[in-house]
Amino acid sequence: MLLTALASLTVLTAAAAGVTALRARAIEADAPRIGTLTDIGGLAMHALHVPPGADADLPPIVFIHGASGNLRDQAAAFRDPLTGRAELLFVDRPGHGYSERGGPQNAFPDGQAHAIARLMEKRGIDRAIIVGHSFGGAIAASFGVLYPEKTAGLLFLAAATHPWPGGVDWYYNLASTPVLGPLFCHTVALHAGMARLDAATRGVFAPNPRPETYVGDTAPALVLRPAAFCANATDVANLHGYVSGFAERYREIKAPTVIVTGDSDDIVLEEIHSRGLARDIEGSELVWVEGLGHKPDYAARDLAIAAIEKIAGRPRDLQAMARELEPKLAATRVAPPPSRPGLQAGQ
C-alpha cells in the first residue's frame, strides 16, 4: 500500500508539474519580451531601452521594479509621459521577467545593483537617476551607496529598505527552501496564484483603485512561472537580513534624493522604511501623501515625474502637489479586498 501511495503521489506530482509547464508557456505567449537581452557577463539581462529625443531635458533614468514584478510595471506607468524627455531604461531584475538569474549574489540587492550597473555600462549610460519601487527601493539604495559615480539622483516610491518587525509571508519562506521550494513552485504556486491574481493586484493598489487594464498591460502572471516564483521568494526571504546589515550605509548617499510614500500602504511599513530613508540620507526630501497606498508610480504618477524633475534641478513644489493630490485620492478611495498580499508580515 505504501508503494502504491508513493507511486500515486509521484504520478500526481508529475501531472501537476506538466500542467504548470503548459500554463507557464501560455503566460509567456500572452506576454512576450518587449525589450532586448544583453550579456553582462554571467547572465543575460532583459531591459526595455528608450532613446532620448532631440530635445531631451532630463538625464537618463533607470527604473527598478518591485517584488513579484517585471519591467512592464514601470514601463506602463512612465514610458509614455517620459518618452523623448530622457533616455529610459526599464529593467527586468535578475531572475524576473525575461532576465536570467545568474549567480547566488543576485539573490541580494547589492548583487542586483551590480548587475544593473553592468547593464548601464553595456548600454552606454554613464550616470542616471535611479527610480526604485517597493523592493526595488532596496536595490536603488544599494546602488546609490555602491555606485555614487553612476548615480545622478534617487527616487524612492513606497520603498522597502530597512529592517522591520516580524517576518515575511509564509509562501516566500516555503518557496525559497531547498527541495520543497522547487516542488511547491512547479506544482502549486502558479495555479494558486492565478486564482488570486485579480484580488492580489487590486490589494496592492488599495485603497487606490487599480487601473482596469493593469493586469493586461503589466503581465504580473510572469512571476508565477516556477523559476521566477522561486527567485522572487528568495529575494524577499533574504531582504530582512540584508537590510539589517546594509541600511547603516545609506548615510553615505550624497545624491539628490526624493522619497514618495503614503500613509495607507499596507504592503510595506512606511513609518519604518520611508522615514528611515529620510533620516539616513542627508538632504533628502520626504513627500508624505495622505490616502496613498503602495503604488505611487500609478496613483501619484505626476508627483513622481515632478520628483524626477526636481532631482534633475528643476524647481518643483512637491509638498504643494501632494496636498493637491490628497482630495482626489480621497474621492476615489476603494475598500481593500479581505486578504491582501504583503511584502512583509507582522503588521
Side-chain angles (χ1 to χ4, degrees), residues 141-155:
S142 298
F143 191 98
V145 170
L146 300 172
Y147 298 97
E149 74 285 358
K150 296 181 181 295
T151 307
L154 294 166
L155 173 58

Side-chain angles (χ1 to χ4, degrees), residues 259-343:
I259 305 141
V260 177
T261 195
D263 70 345
S264 301
D265 186 345
D266 284 344
I267 308 300
V268 301
L269 299 168
E270 67 276 1
E271 289 282 355
I272 291 176
H273 302 282
S274 293
R275 289 200 186 278
L277 284 170
R279 177 196 65 229
D280 294 342
I281 303 176
E282 185 178 359
S284 61
E285 181 176 359
L286 175 63
V287 186
W288 188 275
V289 186
E290 292 184 7
L292 178 62
H294 191 59
K295 293 294 284 178
D297 41 350
Y298 286 80
R301 182 178 66 176
D302 290 345
L303 176 62
I305 292 173
I308 292 172
E309 293 168 342
K310 185 166 188 177
I311 290 168
R314 303 292 184 83
R316 297 290 184 269
D317 189 341
L318 302 180
Q319 304 301 328
M321 289 187 68
R323 302 294 79 78
E324 292 173 3
L325 176 61
E326 289 168 348
K328 300 175 184 177
L329 295 176
T332 58
R333 190 177 182 93
V334 298
S339 177
R340 304 180 68 179
L343 179 62

Side-chain angles (χ1 to χ4, degrees):
M1 291 181 65
L2 179 60
L3 290 175
T4 300
L6 289 174
S8 298
L9 180 60
T10 300
V11 170
L12 288 173
T13 300
V19 175
T20 292
L22 289 174
R23 294 190 77 178
R25 285 198 289 270
I27 289 170
E28 292 178 341
D30 287 341
R33 292 202 311 261
I34 60 172
T36 57
L37 287 168
T38 301
D39 184 356
I40 64 168
L43 75 153
M45 288 278 285
H46 178 240
L48 173 63
H49 178 255
V50 181
D55 299 320
D57 63 329
L58 295 170
I61 309 169
V62 175
F63 294 88
I64 307 174
H65 65 82
S68 304
N70 63 80
L71 67 79
R72 288 173 178 255
D73 185 46
Q74 298 296 285
F78 293 110
R79 181 181 182 179
D80 286 349
L82 288 173
T83 290
R85 298 192 61 190
E87 183 175 11
L88 309 176
L89 190 65
F90 299 94
V91 178
D92 270 342
R93 298 193 284 107
H96 297 257
Y98 287 99
S99 285
E100 296 175 353
R101 183 61 162 175
Q105 72 276 7
N106 292 329
F108 299 91
D110 55 352
Q112 296 194 22
H114 176 69
I116 291 169
R118 291 283 297 128
L119 178 63
M120 288 173 58
E121 292 169 3
K122 290 283 188 175
R123 303 300 310 198
I125 301 174
D126 295 327
R127 295 178 79 240
I129 294 173
I130 310 298
V131 180
H133 170 249
S134 191
F135 188 100
I139 300 166
S142 298
F143 191 98
V145 170
L146 300 172
Y147 298 97
E149 74 285 358
K150 296 181 181 295
T151 307
L154 294 166
L155 173 58
F156 295 97
L157 302 172
T161 51
H162 286 70
W164 64 89
V168 296
D169 286 327
W170 65 270
Y171 53 87
Y172 292 123
N173 289 320
L174 174 59
S176 61
T177 58
V179 184
L180 284 179
L183 182 63
F184 175 70
C185 294
H186 280 85
T187 57
V188 176
L190 186 148
H191 312 295
M194 289 298 290
R196 293 201 65 248
L197 189 64
D198 182 73
T201 51
R202 291 186 189 279
V204 170
F205 274 84
N208 312 126
R210 186 202 72 187
E212 288 305 313
T213 61
Y214 177 78
V215 171
D217 291 342
T218 65
L222 285 171
V223 77
L224 299 176
R225 298 168 300 160
F229 197 90
C230 285
N232 184 64
T234 301
D235 287 352
V236 175
N238 288 343
L239 181 61
H240 188 280
Y242 175 83
V243 297
S244 294
F246 196 86
E248 63 185 24
R249 296 195 62 186
Y250 298 160
R251 292 179 172 85
E252 300 174 28
I253 294 174
K254 304 302 179 186
T257 299
V258 175
I259 305 141
V260 177
T261 195
D263 70 345
S264 301
D265 186 345
D266 284 344
I267 308 300
V268 301
L269 299 168
E270 67 276 1
E271 289 282 355
I272 291 176
H273 302 282
S274 293
R275 289 200 186 278
L277 284 170
R279 177 196 65 229
D280 294 342
I281 303 176
E282 185 178 359
S284 61
E285 181 176 359
L286 175 63
V287 186
W288 188 275
V289 186
E290 292 184 7
L292 178 62
H294 191 59
K295 293 294 284 178
D297 41 350
Y298 286 80
R301 182 178 66 176
D302 290 345
L303 176 62
I305 292 173
I308 292 172
E309 293 168 342
K310 185 166 188 177
I311 290 168
R314 303 292 184 83
R316 297 290 184 269
D317 189 341
L318 302 180
Q319 304 301 328
M321 289 187 68
R323 302 294 79 78
E324 292 173 3
L325 176 61
E326 289 168 348
K328 300 175 184 177
L329 295 176
T332 58
R333 190 177 182 93
V334 298
S339 177
R340 304 180 68 179
L343 179 62
Q344 58 199 34
Q347 299 185 52

